Amino acid sequence: MANIFCSGKLSTLIGALPLAKEATQPIDRMDSWNAHLFMLGGKKCIIFVNKATIFTCFKLGVAKRELADLGKFFQSCVSQQLKANELSALPLLANWATPSEDHQFFRTDNDRVMVGTINNFVDLFRYSYDGRVLGPDVEVKYGCVANDYLVGALKLRTPMDEIARLANGGVPVPRKPPTNPFGYPEGNQNPEFLISEPLSELVRLGAEKRLLQFCEDRIPPEYRDQIRLECKFEGDSAILSERRPDWQGGPDWSDMEIIRFRYNNKTAKWTVHWCDSRHKWHLCDDFEPCEALQELIDAVDEDGSGRFWG
């Protein structure tokens, strides 16, 4: 039997729930969970996080009719993720893997550690969501990412590490970090989840010369009182911004980032990224990574997709 403490948003969707203080005391953290409702891709989604291990599972694109049987809904979510993480047969998690009709749902217990951890996961998945159709394959993929994600609630241990430690009698079990956790094809990973290094002075100076010339050539002199294209450098990237005067006549110009050229120090290649209306960056996978920045600049200049020049 599990005790599941639901956030205010989730409680509103589900309906009347008992107060947290009505849960059986003392609470067994291995069999206790926190749950939250959030939106992703315009769809209702629910996240469950175990209190003892921070093991996480999701239901993405939830319809209200699925919540008619809360216990069955919760068990389906947990069982699906246990299978994906190959934990179904682990004796430590026997209670999780065994269906129960006695799961109990309560209103939030305001566990600050759990609230912070859940908010962190929700921000992570909102940031990484690339518009794909939500379904079981995305659910388990995001769950696997969460369960291999370092969280402060476990003193910088992952949920999978914590489960391995508990299963090993409290002794930590060394394991290798995951590679390409979101499952993107090699060379086409979500760029915002890659560890980067600042540009070397030599690379930055070469890029600056080419990009400043591009900004100069792109906007004819007679239009520069109406629009400008400017370049700035941040970390491993050169970012081009479109600037326009205040439409109300004020002294400040708007600054809208439109193109990011990102340099990978390991491969010595540049990639191109576009910015959506929510100011989130996306890899342009129709541009091959290239050592010659000028080739990518020329390709961007000729691009007719509307991503950059609209």
Side-chain angles (χ1 to χ4, degrees), residues 108-300:
T108 181
D109 59 351
N110 295 313
D111 186 327
R112 292 185 179 181
V113 171
M114 297 301 296
V115 170
T117 300
I118 288 174
N119 288 339
N120 189 18
F121 282 143
V122 170
D123 287 344
L124 170 70
F125 296 123
R126 281 178 174 163
Y127 194 61
S128 66
Y129 178 61
D130 60 359
R132 72 181 76 182
V133 177
L134 300 178
D137 59 328
V138 181
E139 290 171 352
V140 297
K141 192 169 291 185
Y142 277 21
C144 288
V145 171
N147 292 325
D148 270 316
Y149 192 75
L150 287 169
V151 289
L154 296 177
K155 298 182 180 179
L156 292 181
R157 294 180 63 80
T158 74
M160 289 293 285
D161 287 338
E162 187 66 2
I163 289 172
R165 184 185 71 82
L166 293 174
N168 196 41
V171 179
V173 179
R175 58 191 298 269
K176 295 180 179 180
T179 59
N180 193 11
F182 279 94
Y184 288 90
E186 290 300 326
N188 188 31
Q189 295 144 326
N190 187 320
E192 299 304 331
F193 285 84
L194 299 179
I195 298 174
S196 59
E197 298 176 7
L199 295 175
S200 68
E201 187 68 5
L202 183 63
V203 171
R204 191 190 68 80
L205 288 174
E208 184 177 44
K209 178 180 178 180
R210 290 170 173 79
L211 290 170
L212 289 178
Q213 186 64 53
F214 174 66
C215 293
E216 183 81 2
D217 295 340
R218 181 76 189 183
I219 309 298
E222 61 268 28
Y223 296 121
R224 291 177 191 164
D225 62 336
Q226 302 175 45
I227 182 173
R228 299 171 187 166
L229 191 61
E230 296 183 356
C231 175
K232 62 182 178 182
F233 289 85
E234 291 181 359
D236 62 349
S237 300
I239 300 173
L240 300 188
S241 298
E242 181 182 280
R243 305 199 66 197
R244 295 179 182 268
D246 187 340
W247 63 276
Q248 293 182 322
D252 297 327
W253 284 50
S254 65
D255 188 339
M256 183 174 68
E257 297 178 344
I258 56 174
I259 306 168
R260 178 191 290 260
F261 294 94
R262 196 166 193 181
Y263 186 77
N264 187 317
N265 282 286
K266 293 183 179 179
T267 64
K269 291 183 178 181
W270 292 90
T271 51
V272 183
H273 311 262
W274 66 280
C275 191
D276 66 19
S277 60
R278 298 177 298 168
H279 309 292
K280 301 294 178 62
W281 291 102
H282 304 273
L283 176 67
C284 298
D285 52 13
D286 53 335
F287 289 108
E288 289 293 329
C290 185
E291 294 180 0
L293 176 60
Q294 188 61 52
E295 291 186 19
L296 293 178
I297 294 174
D298 293 340
V300 165

Side-chain angles (χ1 to χ4, degrees), residues 25-59:
Q25 299 292 339
I27 293 296
D28 182 348
R29 294 184 69 84
M30 277 298 293
D31 290 324
S32 296
W33 302 69
N34 280 76
H36 178 57
L37 173 74
F38 66 101
M39 301 298 293
L40 188 67
K43 302 292 185 180
K44 293 183 179 68
C45 304
I46 297 178
I47 177 175
F48 296 100
V49 181
N50 178 254
K51 284 183 175 292
T53 63
I54 315 299
F55 182 82
T56 300
C57 54
F58 296 86
K59 280 293 182 182

